[in-house]
Every structure is written in C-alpha cells, then in structure tokens.
Amino acid sequence: MYKPTLTIDLPKLRDNARVEKEELLKNGVEILAVNKVFNGCVETARAVLEGGIDVIAESRVYNLKKIKDALDCKTCLLRSPVLSEIPDVVKYADISLNSEPAVLRALSEEAVKQGKTHAVILMIDMGDLREGIWFDKYDEIVEAVKLIDSLPGLEIYGLGTNFNCYGTVMPTVKNGVDFREIVKKVEAETGIKIPRLSAGNCTSYHLIDKGIWPEGLNHMRIGGLHEYGIEYVDMHYLDQYHHSTKPVGKACSPLYMLRAEIIELNSKPTVPVGELGVDAFLQTKTFEDRGIRRRALLAFGRQDVPIENCVPEDDSITILGQTSDHTLVDIEDCKTPLKVGDTIAFELDYTGLLAACTVDGVEKRFITDYSNK
Ligand SMILES: *Cc1c(COP(=O)(O)O)cnc(C)c1O
C-alpha cells in the first residue's frame, strides 16, 4: 500500500562519518555518533560504524535495543535514564548520561545483578538549563563523582556538558574552559581520573572550525555534523562533507529525500473563490493573485512531514500549502513534464527528517550502492 518514501543515502552518510571522525581525531577529540534523528534505524547506525565511529547513541532505550539486537557495537543512552526502566538501560546501553544520585545507585545495583560495569557520563549544566548538575554547585559535582567511583557497578566514562538545546546558550571558549577547569579541580580534589571531557553536540564544532577549540576537551557527542555537513553556529557548508546545494539557511540535505506521488494535476486560480474563513488548522490566510497556474496535489500531508521542513529538489517548484493529508505545489515554471502518478522530491531538514523517521506514514528506503560516490 502506498506511502510517501524517505530515501537515505547510506554511502554518503558513511563518508561523512569518516571525514568527521578523522578531522576531530586530528584535534584530539573522540566522538560518539548520535543516531536519534533516525529513530533507532539500524542501517544508518551501520553506515556510521562503517565510517569508523564505534559508539552509537540514542535517546530512547527501545531504540538502543534495536541497535544492540542487530549490531555489534558500543551504545550510549543520551537522555538520562528513567528510574522505571533501569534493567533495560543496563541491558542495552553500555554508557549513559546522568545527573541524579538516585539513578546512579539504581544503575549500579542493576549492573551488579547483570554482572556488568555500566559507564557513566556525569552531566554538568554550564548554563543551557537542561540536564546536569549546575556548574556553580561544585560540592554536588564532587559528591557525584565520588559516588560513581564508589559504586561497584559503575565506572566514570567522563564528565559532559551540553549547549544550544533548551537555553540556546552557545558553546564558547569561555564556557569550554570553565568546564575544563571544573573537571581539573574535581580530579585534583578527589584523585579520580576523568578520562573524557564530553564538551557538547555538533554546535560545539564551530570552535574547531575556527581553530579556537580549548585544549583538553577530548570528546563530543555528534549527529547533525555528519548528517548535514553544516557548521551550525555561523551556518555554512563544510566542503569536506556531502551536503546540499540549496541555500544553507534551509539546512536541508539530499542525503534525505522525501518523495510523494501526484494525485491530481491541473490549472486553477491562485485565489480561492467564495467568502474566506479559516483553513483546516483554523488559520486565516491571505492569497496573492498570480492568475491561473499549473499545480499538483501530492499524497502526503502534515500528518507525515510539515512543509516548513521540506525543500523541493527542483528549484522551479514552490510549495503552496498543506493540509493533514495533502500537499499542494506550484509547477507552472517546472520544465520537467509531469503526469499523475509521477513523484515530486524534497530534501529534508533535521526536523523534517525526524518526522519522516518517526511517523508510520512514511516508508524508509536506502541507497546502498557503495561504489557510486
Ligand atoms: C542530541 C544530543 C546530542 C547530539 O546532537 P546533534 O545536534 O545531533 O549533534 C548530544 N548530546 C545530547 C545530550 C543530545 O541529546
């Protein structure tokens, strides 16, 4: 039965992972690959592993289960564990990000039960106000490090911090150095070696790009960089990576193509006829009169992927609007002859990719031809 398709280019994703791994290693930074946008997709995780990254991270334990069941690799749980699923966390994640002593104790107890040692990245909040012990509560940080060190089922993988998530706080030299100094002080005071300083997500890459990466920060958790080949703070494409040729502000990529079938094709006015009220989402609208234009009705809608996150592959096609199950595009200027049953393709941005990988109404396909560069 019909579904619009999402085609993921695995060889290019693998290439990007390889470029990223090598470039960051040159800067003394070890990485783990964040696979969460793909919602536990085994194929994308495998591509990234083939690129040379050896830890796959997800936000949800049910997605880590998919990865662990299919692949032989280390796994990391990004979202702090839920107390009610500790046995599965220990079973499917080798590493997890943490900040609550109660959770740490439960993880240790369960790890002992399962005969494992669970690795912990203790999160420090340097200002972005999502997860982590607040940077100013130094004593709490020390206590948590000592706790992890003392619990029999746990080991310290590193200390971590995160930016540009809730609070939009940018990774800077200042907050990077402050983070490093906290870790140094904790090490000196406790005598406990902290092997990794996990300094952020793909937005932190801008410091490497600019050549101002604070020395000593030696770990990152990255997805968006190898997925899109974009430096996200100044918003520019990175030449070494496969990326889009659309304006960088669209933040889309041809590695993720959504294709939907044309179900109606005709010429209609650009302004509706009749008294205007609200649309399917109770919004009022205004319409510019551009005369009669050729248009296509596509079989996908807001229930699948919102148009705000889709960029037509063909620049001559513009998106007119969307309801729950339909998308309307203007094809008046399109040079390619189109007929009912043909498909129209869109590059997706991160939010569009997230939706396409999450909803039941989109079918995933994969480009697997590794010879075709
Ligand atoms: C999502 C996430 C990342 C990676 O984010 P990208 O933008 O994909 O690089 C890193 N750390 C945590 C805690 C996350 O939740």
Side-chain angles (χ1 to χ4, degrees):
M1 261 166 277
Y2 166 83
K3 284 182 181 181
T5 59
L6 166 70
T7 304
I8 301 178
D9 191 326
L10 297 176
K12 288 189 175 152
L13 186 63
R14 175 206 55 184
D15 292 350
N16 279 359
R18 180 170 295 151
V19 167
E20 175 184 275
K21 157 110 183 178
E22 285 168 9
E23 186 191 3
L24 295 191
L25 209 55
K26 264 186 235 155
N27 286 276
V29 178
E30 177 192 346
I31 52 176
L32 55 74
V34 175
N35 195 56
K36 69 186 175 195
V37 72
F38 302 115
N39 199 19
C41 177
V42 168
E43 289 82 356
T44 54
R46 188 184 290 121
V48 163
L49 291 169
E50 282 172 3
I53 303 177
D54 50 15
V55 181
I56 298 294
E58 291 276 354
S59 293
R60 292 138 200 270
V61 178
Y62 57 76
N63 279 336
L64 279 184
K65 177 178 188 318
K66 290 190 227 165
I67 303 293
K68 264 289 184 214
D69 287 348
L71 302 167
D72 180 21
C73 67
K74 277 209 164 183
T75 55
C76 173
L77 179 66
L78 291 167
R79 188 173 65 189
S80 305
V82 175
L83 253 189
S84 60
E85 61 173 0
I86 296 295
D88 284 334
V89 172
V90 171
K91 194 163 175 199
Y92 299 112
D94 301 299
I95 309 157
S96 63
L97 276 52
N98 285 277
S99 52
E100 283 289 349
V103 175
L104 292 168
R105 287 197 187 90
L107 281 171
S108 173
E109 200 178 308
E110 181 62 32
V112 169
K113 236 187 251 173
Q114 293 186 24
K116 288 183 174 173
T117 304
H118 184 80
V120 170
I121 299 180
L122 179 70
M123 294 303 282
I124 313 298
D125 183 348
M126 295 304 297
D128 198 55
L129 296 179
R130 202 177 66 181
E131 75 275 54
I133 303 174
W134 190 240
F135 66 90
D136 215 20
K137 302 212 164 155
Y138 176 72
D139 293 345
E140 260 183 54
I141 299 171
V142 169
E143 283 315 304
V145 169
K146 284 186 184 164
L147 178 65
I148 298 165
D149 191 58
S150 71
L151 288 169
L154 302 185
E155 66 183 17
I156 297 183
Y157 194 78
L159 260 58
T161 190
N162 203 39
F163 299 104
N164 284 113
C165 272
Y166 170 73
T168 73
V169 171
M170 296 223 303
T172 59
V173 171
K174 162 124 187 27
N175 54 30
V177 168
D178 287 351
F179 172 60
R180 182 186 70 200
E181 293 314 305
I182 290 172
V183 178
K184 275 194 178 164
K185 207 169 143 194
V186 170
E187 274 189 322
E189 182 168 336
T190 61
I192 298 166
K193 171 89 187 118
I194 308 293
R196 293 174 191 82
L197 282 75
S198 189
N201 56 46
C202 65
T203 61
S204 292
Y205 174 78
H206 86 106
L207 299 172
I208 290 183
D209 193 49
K210 295 183 174 83
I212 53 174
W213 182 253
E215 209 193 314
L217 304 184
N218 62 0
H219 187 269
M220 268 203 260
R221 311 167 307 273
I222 311 201
L225 181 62
H226 60 261
E227 284 150 7
Y228 283 87
I230 295 174
E231 189 283 279
Y232 286 99
V233 170
D234 298 311
M235 284 309 278
H236 66 91
Y237 286 123
L238 298 160
D239 291 343
Q240 323 87 283
Y241 294 78
H242 298 290
H243 59 71
S244 183
T245 55
K246 308 285 182 199
V248 68
K250 305 255 186 213
C252 58
S253 171
L255 273 56
Y256 320 107
M257 299 298 297
L258 181 76
R259 289 191 176 82
E261 220 171 289
I262 300 175
I263 51 177
E264 184 185 301
L265 201 59
N266 48 39
S267 293
K268 284 189 186 178
T270 35
V271 178
V273 175
E275 218 174 302
L276 302 191
V278 293
D279 71 4
F281 303 108
L282 304 180
Q283 304 298 308
T284 55
K285 283 185 188 163
T286 52
F287 296 86
E288 185 198 347
D289 192 354
R290 304 180 67 210
I292 300 219
R293 290 179 69 86
R294 202 160 167 72
R295 31 173 265 153
L297 196 57
L298 307 179
F300 86 100
R302 204 161 188 84
Q303 193 167 5
D304 308 303
V305 185
I307 47 172
E308 292 76 19
N309 310 108
C310 301
V311 180
E313 178 184 40
D314 182 334
D315 290 330
S316 70
I317 295 176
T318 55
I319 299 172
L320 293 168
Q322 191 172 43
T323 59
S324 297
D325 309 308
H326 297 86
T327 298
L328 281 74
V329 291
D330 182 307
I331 55 161
E332 178 76 24
D333 303 323
C334 179
K335 301 283 182 288
T336 321
L338 292 169
K339 56 183 190 309
V340 169
D342 286 349
T343 58
I344 303 266
F346 302 86
E347 292 186 16
L348 298 181
D349 71 7
Y350 189 91
T351 313
L353 179 59
L354 184 68
C357 289
T358 308
V359 298
D360 182 46
V362 176
E363 183 190 316
K364 272 203 202 88
R365 296 205 177 147
F366 300 100
I367 295 175
T368 54
D369 183 2
Y370 281 77
S371 61
N372 180 18
K373 274 213 108 176

